[in-house]
Amino acid sequence: MARLSRYLLRLFWSDAMALFAVAVFLLFLIQCLRLFDLVSSKGQGLLTLIGQVLLGMPGLGVVFLYVCLAIGLGRTLRNLQSTTELQIIHANSLVPTLLRAIGLYVLGGVAIVLLLSHLAEPLGIRASNDWSSSIAADLVSRSMIPHRFTGLGGGVSMVIGARDADGNITDFFADDPRDTASHRTYFAHSAIITHDEEGYVLRMRDGAVQYLTEDNTFSQVSFDKYDLPLDRLTGATDSTDPIAQTSSIDLIGAALSSGVWDPEIIKALLKRTGEGLRVIAMSMFVAAVALFPNGQRRRTQIPIELVVLAAAFIERAFTSYVGGPGLLGVASGSVLLIAASTLILLVRLRVFQPAGIRRLSA
């Protein structure tokens, strides 16, 4: 690698990682402030709070890292412009070296983002869900006081008849009114808290689940044995997405072994891969905007940070509201940004000149 390439790469990464470190620290503090009351209300300590926040950081890193990479690239190119180094690079025909350094920088960023999206984020979600399930089991276990109604949050209440030294529960009853479309009531002759491959569950025997809908329609389902996930009593009523907490390696391995590629799995893999495409799109856009020097020294320029944030907003909006087949369904904004940036770069590199852009002879 040429000395100039190493120098440029060092500048790119130092600016990007400095910004990313600040963003991560601020996000960590914000998440801690957001979860303080929630964690403390469940009787957990500071270490649980920090652990839960850290497990959620890979997902936040995927969202913000590509923006930090683009801003770091833009800041470096603007600084090179202000110190006339960018002009020297162009005057000495070193643009290929500059492009090579940018390419290596982008590939490194893509590798980090793909590692976060395909591995770190799903594993973090899985670990966080397992930990949350353990917290829920602890909360429910501590709340089981015979012949006393106790609240588990969100309006959920619970009471038991008795509990022996082995953890066997008799006459369990719980009322869950959180879902207005289906008010649920659980009761069982006996129950016990146990753990299976899905996490901690309340294994009930000889009971029933009663449902009351908004139009006062009542129904009851009796059971001999029913496993109720404990986090359903203490957390959100929505079930956990199994694909979101499974790494791409495991998803691909399961699909290859079964020979069946679920459309949801394909969509999840494309969406995670689209995060890497987003890094390429934003970096190409910044290069198209800031790669070339201008001779107007006193020209007022829009801060590159605002340019990047505006482009990221437009890209996200286009991806969310304009879909398409395959990769376009999860990364249409990135594809559009790459196409526009490629056109701008080709014009500015004078690979061709569209009709109407002609230089007048002196």
Side-chain angles (χ1 to χ4, degrees):
M1 183 186 298
R3 183 179 300 177
L4 178 59
S5 295
R6 291 196 300 269
Y7 169 71
L8 293 172
L9 279 173
R10 185 170 65 252
L11 292 179
F12 295 153
W13 280 110
S14 61
D15 280 340
M17 290 300 101
L19 179 62
F20 185 64
V22 173
V24 167
F25 181 69
L26 292 177
L27 289 171
F28 176 81
L29 293 181
I30 292 172
Q31 288 294 94
C32 286
L33 293 174
R34 188 178 67 86
L35 296 177
F36 257 122
D37 293 338
L38 179 62
V39 173
S40 62
S41 65
K42 295 183 178 181
Q44 304 301 310
L46 186 61
L47 291 178
T48 299
L49 170 68
I50 295 176
Q52 287 285 299
V53 172
L54 289 177
L55 289 175
M57 293 308 293
L60 295 175
V62 172
V63 175
F64 285 92
L65 180 56
Y66 79 98
V67 176
C68 295
L69 290 170
I71 292 178
L73 176 61
R75 280 183 174 178
T76 301
L77 292 175
R78 285 284 175 89
N79 291 335
L80 292 175
Q81 160 78 18
S82 63
T83 59
T84 69
E85 293 176 271
L86 189 60
Q87 291 88 330
I88 295 173
I89 290 174
H90 281 262
N92 289 275
S93 301
L94 295 175
V95 175
T97 303
L98 175 59
L99 292 175
R100 183 162 55 249
I102 293 175
L104 292 174
Y105 171 74
V106 173
L107 289 177
V110 170
I112 295 174
V113 169
L114 290 181
L115 182 64
L116 289 175
S117 63
H118 283 282
L119 294 178
E121 183 181 8
L123 294 179
I125 293 175
R126 180 189 302 175
S128 179
N129 289 339
D130 291 342
W131 200 344
S132 297
S133 180
S134 176
I135 293 173
D138 178 67
L139 175 62
V140 173
S141 179
R142 287 187 290 105
S143 301
M144 286 183 172
I145 302 175
H147 308 294
R148 180 185 298 179
F149 276 92
T150 55
L152 299 178
V156 180
S157 58
M158 176 185 65
V159 66
I160 63 172
R163 185 179 185 183
D164 61 22
D166 294 329
N168 296 304
I169 302 163
T170 57
D171 298 327
F172 173 82
F173 173 86
D175 180 63
D176 184 0
R178 290 172 298 172
D179 188 356
T180 57
S182 180
H183 188 143
R184 297 184 182 186
T185 300
Y186 307 89
F187 61 90
H189 178 70
S190 62
I192 189 171
I193 296 177
T194 185
H195 187 274
D196 61 10
E197 63 277 2
E198 299 296 330
Y200 287 92
V201 297
L202 181 68
R203 181 158 294 166
M204 299 182 289
R205 295 183 180 276
D206 300 326
V209 182
Q210 296 176 341
Y211 301 89
L212 182 64
T213 62
E214 290 180 321
D215 57 357
N216 292 324
T217 302
F218 178 82
S219 62
Q220 175 174 307
V221 179
S222 301
F223 56 80
D224 292 329
K225 185 177 74 171
Y226 183 84
D227 288 348
L228 176 65
L230 289 180
D231 52 4
R232 186 179 298 176
L233 289 176
T234 60
T237 56
D238 296 334
S239 59
T240 303
D241 184 4
I243 295 179
Q245 62 178 356
T246 306
S247 69
S248 297
I249 295 177
D250 293 336
L251 289 177
I252 294 174
L256 291 176
S257 62
S258 63
V260 178
W261 288 86
D262 191 305
E264 292 299 322
I265 292 179
I266 296 176
K267 183 178 179 180
L269 294 175
L270 288 175
K271 184 176 181 180
R272 295 174 184 178
T273 304
E275 299 295 341
L277 192 63
R278 186 169 279 128
V279 176
I280 298 174
M282 291 298 299
S283 299
M284 288 185 63
F285 174 74
V286 170
V289 171
L291 183 63
F292 302 89
N294 62 76
Q296 301 177 4
R297 295 182 179 273
R298 296 183 181 180
R299 180 182 177 184
T300 301
Q301 291 183 325
I302 301 175
I304 193 65
E305 295 84 357
L306 294 181
V307 174
V308 171
L309 290 175
F313 179 83
I314 295 173
E315 185 273 332
R316 285 277 184 179
F318 199 87
T319 300
S320 300
Y321 295 105
V322 181
L327 193 59
L328 287 176
V330 294
S332 56
S334 297
V335 174
L336 176 67
L337 197 58
I338 288 175
S341 302
T342 301
L343 180 62
I344 295 173
L345 283 172
L346 291 176
V347 171
R348 301 192 72 176
L349 287 170
R350 300 183 184 179
V351 175
F352 68 90
Q353 287 188 340
I357 304 180
R358 303 294 184 188
R359 293 185 177 273
L360 298 177
S361 58

